């Protein structure tokens, strides 16, 4: 059974898939440029097959790292109706340079930040973790910083450069953030937002640390919705004011099939200007797309405008872009 799964992993690598999705007793699939596609003639993996290859599956769900077919994989497993299920995601061996990932040039402005909150976002398998890690690596290599990595299992190794890494933090995330601040940490890399620690995160940014995290969302408004909804109603006003004060940038990316083969990225970029802060503080962050669209001179970019540009330049088919555009009128 392990051999059959390894064959599926080999297939995923050969077609350039971002994920291999296996559910015991059901057909397997891959994710290509954001689309889930069935694997032709793939046999269903029998019950127990995933445990055979993963060996360690503690609890109903979890995440493990492994190496198969000459590549490193991050595997998220969980219990499904028919049996176990797992999503295998190939992981880069080396972190790419931030200036070479194909992001808009205006993102280089983020390299000059020394405090506040920077959020990288996108749907599953959009490349947000790669982009965020390359950003953290660039900061660590640019100068000597005191750094705290609180991102759990490291998917892509950060290039630490001359920076000093806090290694001995203990307790839950809130306690680790507190320890990092007491140690004079300059940079905190949190990885995926857990939905439970927003106020400690915002306190860290207020205290002068640069805090970087990931959020699963399709646009900047969705990011703010996710952050604000994680807190109770009685804390909502407090959180809005804190967010308005410390937010430096939200960077959203989405992968689409490229007309030239493979995939290409579409971007949305929001910077924490005074206008943006005022909308967040007043609870009117749902109106931010109009500010983003009118602020290209400040380096901002609306996802709809980026999608339109990709279509007009011939890199993305209009049919593919239309699935993700918020305002079809902007897709000319």
């Amino acid at each position: 059974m392990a051999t059959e799964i390894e064959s599926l992993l080999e297939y995923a690598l050969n077609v350039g898939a971002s994920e291999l999705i296996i559910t015991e007793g059901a057909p397997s699939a891959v994710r290509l440029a954001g689309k889930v596609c069935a694997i032709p003639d793939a046999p269903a993996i029998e019950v127990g097959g995933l445990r055979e290859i993963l060996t360690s599956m503690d609890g109903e769900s979890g995440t493990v790292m492994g190496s198969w077919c000459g590549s490193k994989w991050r595997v998220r497993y969980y219990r499904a109706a028919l049996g176990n299920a797992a999503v295998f995601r190939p992981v880069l061996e080396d972190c790419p340079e931030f200036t070479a990932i194909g992001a808009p040039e205006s993102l280089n402005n983020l390299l000059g930040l020394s405090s506040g909150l920077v959020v990288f976002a996108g749907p599953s398998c959009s490349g947000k973790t790669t982009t965020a890690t390359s950003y953290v690596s660039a900061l660590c290599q640019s100068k000597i910083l005191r750094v705290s990595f609180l991102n759990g299992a490291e998917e892509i190794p950060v290039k630490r450069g001359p920076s000093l890494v806090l290694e001995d933090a203990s307790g839950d995330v809130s306690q680790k953030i507190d320890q990092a601040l007491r140690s004079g940490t300059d940079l905190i890399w949190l990885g995926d937002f857990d939905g439970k620690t927003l106020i400690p995160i915002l306190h860290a940014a207020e205290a002068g640390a640069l805090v970087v995290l990931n959020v699963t969302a399709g646009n900047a408004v969705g990011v703010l919705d996710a952050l604000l909804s994680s807190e109770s109603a009685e804390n909502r006003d407090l959180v809005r004011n804190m967010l308005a004060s410390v937010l430096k940038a939200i960077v959203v990316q989405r992968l689409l099939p490229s007309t030239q083969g493979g995939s290409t990225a579409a971007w949305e970029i929001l910077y924490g200007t005074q206008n943006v802060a005022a909308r967040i503080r007043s609870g009117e962050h749902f109106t931010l797309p109009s500010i983003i669209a009118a602020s290209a001179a400040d380096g901002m970019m609306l996802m709809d405008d980026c999608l339109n540009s990709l279509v007009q330049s011939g890199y993305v088919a209009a049919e593919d872009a239309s699935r993700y555009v918020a305002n079809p009128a902007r897709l000319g």
Side-chain angles (χ1 to χ4, degrees):
M1 193 58 62
T3 302
E4 291 182 356
I5 294 177
E6 288 178 356
S7 296
L8 294 173
L9 292 168
E10 189 72 42
Y11 174 86
L13 291 173
N14 288 339
V15 300
S18 57
E19 286 184 337
L20 169 65
I21 305 165
I22 295 177
T23 301
E24 293 175 343
S28 298
V30 291
R31 189 184 299 274
L32 293 167
K35 293 182 179 178
V36 175
C37 308
I39 300 175
D41 303 319
I45 300 301
E46 296 178 3
V47 174
L50 284 171
R51 187 173 296 278
E52 181 181 335
I53 193 170
L54 296 180
T55 64
S56 176
M57 294 177 66
D58 297 330
E60 291 289 307
S61 63
T63 301
V64 297
M65 302 293 293
S67 295
W68 301 279
C69 305
S71 295
K72 185 179 177 182
W73 300 79
R74 181 175 183 263
V75 188
R76 179 173 58 86
Y77 64 86
Y78 53 95
R79 184 72 180 171
L82 298 176
N84 290 314
V87 178
F88 292 74
R89 183 178 301 176
V91 176
L92 295 174
E93 291 292 340
D94 294 309
C95 181
E97 297 298 325
F98 185 63
T99 54
I101 59 174
E105 189 174 346
S106 65
L107 285 191
N108 291 336
N109 296 334
L110 299 181
L111 296 174
L113 296 176
S114 59
S115 64
L117 175 67
V118 177
V119 181
F120 291 89
S124 178
C125 291
S126 61
K128 60 182 178 292
T129 298
T130 300
T131 301
T133 306
S134 66
Y135 172 60
V136 171
S137 291
L139 292 171
C140 289
Q141 294 177 96
S142 65
K143 48 192 170 182
I144 301 177
L145 300 173
R146 291 184 61 82
V147 185
S148 181
F149 295 150
L150 306 182
N151 55 322
E154 190 173 59
E155 185 168 317
I156 306 172
V158 172
K159 296 178 180 178
R160 303 184 178 191
S163 292
L164 308 175
V165 180
L166 176 67
E167 301 280 8
D168 57 352
S170 60
D172 60 23
V173 174
S174 296
Q175 292 170 322
K176 290 179 179 180
I177 290 174
D178 182 61
Q179 293 169 45
L181 291 177
R182 285 191 279 108
S183 299
T185 295
D186 304 297
L187 172 63
I188 300 175
W189 167 218
L190 285 163
D192 293 337
F193 177 56
D194 64 4
K196 303 175 184 177
T197 54
L198 182 57
I199 289 181
I201 288 170
L202 298 177
H203 276 312
E206 282 185 333
L210 179 59
V211 183
V212 183
L213 75 157
N214 291 341
V215 172
T216 300
N219 52 43
V221 171
V223 170
L224 293 168
D225 283 339
L227 294 176
L228 291 168
S229 64
S230 71
E231 283 297 334
S232 60
E234 55 265 31
N235 287 336
R236 206 67 53 80
D237 287 341
L238 169 65
V239 168
R240 275 197 291 264
N241 284 322
M242 295 177 75
L243 259 177
S245 298
V246 303
L247 181 66
K248 298 298 184 181
I250 295 175
V251 180
V252 185
Q253 64 188 91
R254 180 184 292 276
L255 293 181
L256 292 88
S258 172
T259 56
Q260 301 179 0
S263 59
T264 190
W267 302 84
E268 180 160 293
I269 303 170
L270 175 141
Y271 288 118
T273 62
Q274 289 185 351
N275 283 341
V276 168
R279 299 290 178 93
I280 295 173
R281 192 172 284 112
S282 67
E284 298 178 325
H285 64 277
F286 58 89
T287 65
L288 286 176
S290 62
I291 291 182
I292 300 173
S295 303
D298 296 324
M300 297 198 211
M301 179 181 293
L302 190 66
M303 179 66 71
D304 283 6
D305 291 340
C306 186
L307 289 169
N308 181 56
S309 177
L310 290 171
V311 170
Q312 296 304 314
S313 61
Y315 287 111
V316 171
E319 179 184 359
D320 290 322
S322 66
R323 295 189 178 97
Y324 306 111
V325 68
N327 182 1
R330 301 191 75 91
L331 196 63

